[in-house]
Amino acid sequence: MSLQLYYITDRRQFAGDAREQERRLLEKIRECAAAGVEYVQLREKDLSPRALEQLACKAVTAVRGSGTRLLISSRTDVALACGAHGVQLPGNDLQASDVRAVFAQSGVRAPVIGVSAHSLPDVLSAEAHGADFAVFAPVFEKAGAANAKGLEKLREICRRAHAAMLVFALGGVTLENAPLCVEAGAAGIAGIRLFQENEVSGIVKFLNT
C-alpha cells in the first residue's frame, strides 16, 4: 500500500495580494489533484462562511475528475453547500458519528470524515465514533518549536491494540524526516509547507519510491 498524502491549505502563506493568493492556492490544489494526492483540506479559518463557501466551490471544481477528495475544515454546512467530499473536524468539535448523521440527512451516504488528534485518547475516541482517519500532530514541531516526544507518541498511536483507523502524521514533516513517520506506522503524511513550497509530483514520487 502506497503512502497517502494530505495537503492542508493556507493561502496566506503565498506571496501577493488576496486575489493572487487565491489564484496560487487553486493552482496548488489542481497540482495536487493531478499528482494523485489523496486529500486536500481547505483550512482558511479567517474567511467568513460565505467567502469560504465561494472558495470551496472553486476548490471542488479544481479537484473534479481526479481521485483527490476535498475536505472542509469544521464546516459541515459549507461542505454540503459546495459538494465537497467531507470534513476535517477539530478534536474538540462534534463527534464523527454525529456529523455523519447530518450528511445522511442531506442524502450524502459516504462522506469522508477526518478528525484532528493530539493524543492516544483523541485517536481512540475518533475511531470509536467511526472517523475515516485521524491526523495526529505535532510530530516534529508546532509553531516552529521542536516537539521531542511527538514521534514517540505517533508510534504509540499507530501501534495501538486492535488499530483499524488510518493515522496521518502532521507537524514539521519534511521529505527528510517523513520516512521516520512511516517507520512509526503512519499511513500517510499531512502538511502545509511541505506541499506549498515543493513541486507536488516530486513529493509523491519521492515518498512512494
Side-chain angles (χ1 to χ4, degrees), residues 48-195:
S48 67
R50 178 57 180 160
L52 178 61
E53 182 182 332
Q54 291 174 336
L55 180 58
C57 287
K58 296 175 184 178
V60 166
T61 299
V63 303
R64 186 168 292 147
S66 73
T68 299
R69 275 68 57 88
L70 179 72
L71 309 181
I72 310 299
S73 288
S74 306
R75 300 300 302 245
T76 304
D77 54 343
V78 172
L80 286 167
C82 71
H85 297 90
V87 292
Q88 176 69 20
L89 301 174
N92 59 353
D93 209 321
L94 296 172
Q95 298 290 358
S97 53
D98 296 328
V99 173
R100 199 174 295 283
V102 173
F103 274 100
Q105 290 168 5
S106 299
V108 179
R109 300 301 175 188
V112 177
I113 300 177
V115 175
S116 298
H118 305 289
S119 67
L120 177 58
D122 287 348
V123 170
L124 294 175
S125 176
E127 194 166 36
H129 286 275
D132 291 292
F133 57 80
V135 177
F136 170 75
V139 178
F140 297 108
E141 65 177 52
K142 182 176 183 180
N147 182 39
K149 295 186 177 181
L151 190 62
E152 181 183 330
K153 287 185 178 179
L154 176 66
R155 184 176 293 107
E156 176 190 15
I157 285 168
C158 292
R159 297 180 181 180
R160 66 197 183 279
H162 312 298
M165 184 182 66
L166 301 181
V167 175
F168 286 78
L170 171 67
V173 182
T174 65
L175 291 177
E176 291 71 29
N177 62 30
L180 296 175
C181 299
V182 178
E183 290 172 10
I189 300 298
I192 299 175
R193 288 173 298 169
L194 176 64
F195 295 94

